[in-house]
Amino acid sequence: MFEKVLIANRGEIALRIHRACRELGIETVAVHSTADADAMHVRLANESVCIGPPAARDSYLNVPAILSAAQITGADAIHPGYGFLSENADFAAMVEEHGLVFIGPSPDHIRMMGDKVIAKQTARSLGIPCVPGSDGPVGDVESAMKAAEAIGFPVLIKAAAGGGGRGMKVAASRGELDEAFRTARGEAEAAFGDGRVYMEKYLSHPRHIEIQVLADSHGHVVHLGERDCSLQRKHQKLVEESPSPALNDAQRREIGATVCRALEKLGYRNAGTVEFLYEDGEFYFIEMNTRLQVEHPVTEMITGLDLVREQIRVAAGAPLSFTQENVKFLGHAIECRVTAENPDTFRPAPGRVTEYHPPGGLGVRVDSALYAGYTVPPYYDSMVAKLIVHGTSRNEALMRLRRALDEYVIGGIETTLPLHRRILGSPDFVDGTYDIHWLERFVGLKR
Ligand code: MV4
């Protein structure tokens, strides 16, 4: 087992990784920018290294600084968290070249799934159901038109190097295809330096359902159920829950088994999330994330398993602590992502937290690095806390979440707590009948 792990991240996920390390008796090294010198993860870590000025490109994305920090502190492994370098295959490879363990999948699998065309071709070849579309990139308008005729309008044009909603264009008819194709290709080239685009049948009212997987280096692949992540605004998730209100146990078992068979054939290792669109009873693969996700606590609350601990153990060569038969899904969990933003305009609202009182009680978890007196910096993602609740049923989880949201005090800065309180009061959310477009209608995309 590792003696010392460097946490190449900040905020709540750095704290989360620190906690898993400490419970395994592993020492932790925090890295921080000059803007995060007073951050909680720095205070709690056994050691800390300042890796640069506030801008992410000069600090949390500064590979030489992070690798140097690992070398001078004698760390055995690096956990990247999510965001920043967590899905950077070159970084993962360099970590390994420097004799350290990257706590995550292999660089090859990170690279494979980072190319959405290769990811989809791989998923299809492994027997995972995919959205009907072009088999590979579409190179010019003529072949785009042929592909669209075969698929049927409306179609969606996506960037191979995109993901997370970046570089997507809808073409509702032949007349819109030429411009949609050229725009998508131009934007992909500008944003990613890779103009390759592919095409899919556009699904108009899907849910976003993802399957959590853990795999060790001994051939064991286990799924930990699904998370329904349909409540998003501009591709930013706000609320996630498990189990999905739309699925039954038979569907859960079937899609879970399909994903496990596929990743076993692939020889996948560590944590991974396979993303689907779910519409009219059918699953359609869209992407795979080769990182721990923000919303992993939802799965932890349902299964009682510590996903970060399993990531660390698996990276150190140990077998998974459990088999598929051991995994039990109990109750219902819902997560609210709290951001330092205006709850109406979503304008970022960094600043000093003058008062901080997190909720507590049975089935209530708060993952946050906030404290009274802390100043939320303007340089990074605006998420400042995750409130996750668990109940024996969805109704109990809803009631508990409303109570916890009413208890939660974050003074001195604007946050999205009031918006979450409104969402929790809406009949559509309570009924669980929402799709991926519901939240943007609820908040009004115009803002
Ligand atoms: C789609 C789609 C409809 N049809 N693909 C958005 C981000 C990336 N995960 C893929 N996304 C979508 N792909 C087809 N064929 C709709 C979306 C989409 C979306 C997906 C999940 C959650 C929120 C979303 C918001 C807008 C669009």
Side-chain angles (χ1 to χ4, degrees):
M1 181 45 79
F2 307 125
E3 289 184 11
K4 190 181 284 188
V5 167
L6 183 143
I7 303 166
N9 216 302
R10 64 179 299 281
E12 67 88 14
I13 195 59
L15 222 48
R16 173 71 189 85
I17 297 162
H18 169 82
R19 288 167 173 160
C21 289
R22 297 308 296 135
E23 290 178 13
L24 285 168
I26 297 171
E27 292 206 358
T28 57
V29 179
V31 291
H32 66 90
S33 71
T34 50
D36 279 340
D38 297 334
M40 184 88 92
H41 75 285
V42 177
R43 296 185 178 197
L44 291 184
N46 296 91
E47 294 175 72
S48 66
V49 179
C50 180
I51 50 172
R57 69 178 174 280
D58 298 324
S59 51
Y60 298 103
L61 294 172
N62 183 340
V63 170
I66 290 167
L67 292 176
S68 303
Q71 288 191 318
I72 59 176
T73 56
D76 309 302
I78 294 180
H79 196 305
Y82 51 66
F84 294 130
L85 296 166
S86 63
E87 292 186 298
N88 183 318
D90 293 335
F91 173 68
M94 272 188 263
V95 169
E96 293 180 350
E97 283 154 20
H98 281 70
L100 294 139
V101 173
F102 178 79
I103 298 175
S106 71
D108 287 349
H109 288 150
I110 295 172
R111 201 180 310 284
M112 171 191 284
M113 298 306 175
D115 182 315
K116 304 310 173 192
V117 166
I118 296 174
K120 193 171 174 183
Q121 288 171 335
T122 304
R124 186 183 288 115
S125 69
L126 293 170
I128 294 177
C130 293
V131 185
S134 62
D135 181 20
V138 175
D140 53 42
V141 176
E142 293 67 34
S143 44
M145 190 60 80
K146 281 204 195 80
E149 300 287 5
I151 295 166
F153 288 97
V155 295
L156 192 59
I157 301 164
K158 294 181 170 180
R166 295 170 302 165
M168 292 192 331
K169 287 280 174 262
V170 179
S173 65
R174 287 175 61 93
E176 294 180 12
L177 187 64
D178 189 307
E179 184 184 351
F181 174 78
R182 293 181 195 283
T183 307
R185 188 175 52 180
E187 285 179 5
E189 185 61 50
F192 314 115
D194 176 352
R196 284 178 307 131
V197 292
Y198 62 106
M199 191 183 287
E200 290 183 342
K201 178 79 180 163
Y202 177 67
L203 303 179
S204 61
H205 55 284
R207 299 180 83 114
H208 186 196
I209 292 179
E210 59 188 28
I211 305 291
Q212 178 69 60
V213 175
L214 267 171
D216 63 24
S217 51
H218 305 271
H220 307 121
V221 183
V222 175
H223 77 86
L224 301 181
E226 82 275 7
R227 294 183 291 261
D228 193 319
C229 304
S230 304
L231 285 187
Q232 314 206 18
R233 175 188 172 272
K234 294 187 177 179
H235 306 295
Q236 294 298 317
K237 295 168 182 171
L238 267 82
V239 180
E240 305 100 341
E241 66 176 306
S242 182
S244 166
L247 297 191
N248 61 41
D249 281 345
Q251 289 175 299
R252 179 168 298 113
R253 276 196 303 276
E254 184 184 358
I255 193 67
T258 299
V259 164
C260 286
R261 273 195 305 274
L263 294 185
E264 207 164 327
K265 280 184 232 167
L266 192 63
Y268 192 80
R269 193 183 66 232
N270 212 278
T273 298
V274 183
E275 284 193 13
F276 293 91
L277 294 178
Y278 177 78
E279 185 173 89
D280 303 335
E282 296 296 330
F283 287 92
Y284 302 95
F285 171 87
I286 42 174
E287 299 174 21
M288 177 171 186
N289 302 322
T290 54
R291 68 176 187 277
L292 179 71
Q293 299 215 209
V294 169
E295 58 269 27
H296 76 275
V298 167
T299 301
E300 294 188 325
M301 298 284 263
I302 291 291
T303 60
L305 300 170
D306 182 329
L307 269 64
V308 180
R309 174 187 302 172
E310 290 306 313
Q311 279 192 289
I312 296 165
R313 296 183 69 260
V314 156
L320 284 172
S321 307
F322 45 82
T323 63
Q324 190 68 62
E325 292 63 44
N326 301 145
V327 179
K328 302 301 175 206
F329 305 109
L330 292 178
H332 201 101
I334 310 174
E335 175 183 84
C336 291
R337 296 191 190 195
V338 183
T339 55
E341 295 174 323
N342 178 290
D344 297 313
T345 65
F346 297 92
R347 188 170 44 82
R352 189 167 181 279
V353 175
T354 55
E355 198 181 357
Y356 187 68
H357 177 83
L362 176 65
V364 177
R365 167 175 168 179
V366 175
D367 279 20
S368 178
L370 292 182
Y371 55 87
Y374 172 67
T375 297
V376 177
Y379 310 103
Y380 313 112
D381 184 275
S382 57
M383 189 178 77
V384 291
K386 296 171 338 195
L387 169 57
I388 312 104
V389 303
H390 179 270
T392 53
S393 67
R394 187 168 189 266
N395 282 341
E396 183 178 280
L398 287 169
M399 284 174 0
R400 184 163 284 158
L401 183 50
R402 280 191 203 101
R403 185 270 298 166
L405 282 167
D406 288 345
E407 220 174 281
Y408 208 162
V409 175
I410 303 176
I413 58 170
E414 291 176 306
T415 72
T416 46
L417 281 172
L419 171 59
H420 285 296
R421 293 175 186 128
R422 282 177 37 224
I423 293 170
L424 264 287
S426 71
D428 290 351
F429 181 70
V430 172
D431 295 347
T433 56
Y434 53 83
D435 66 19
I436 63 169
H437 302 300
W438 180 84
L439 184 64
E440 290 181 349
R441 287 194 297 266
F442 182 73
V443 300
L445 190 58
K446 56 184 178 303
R447 294 190 182 105

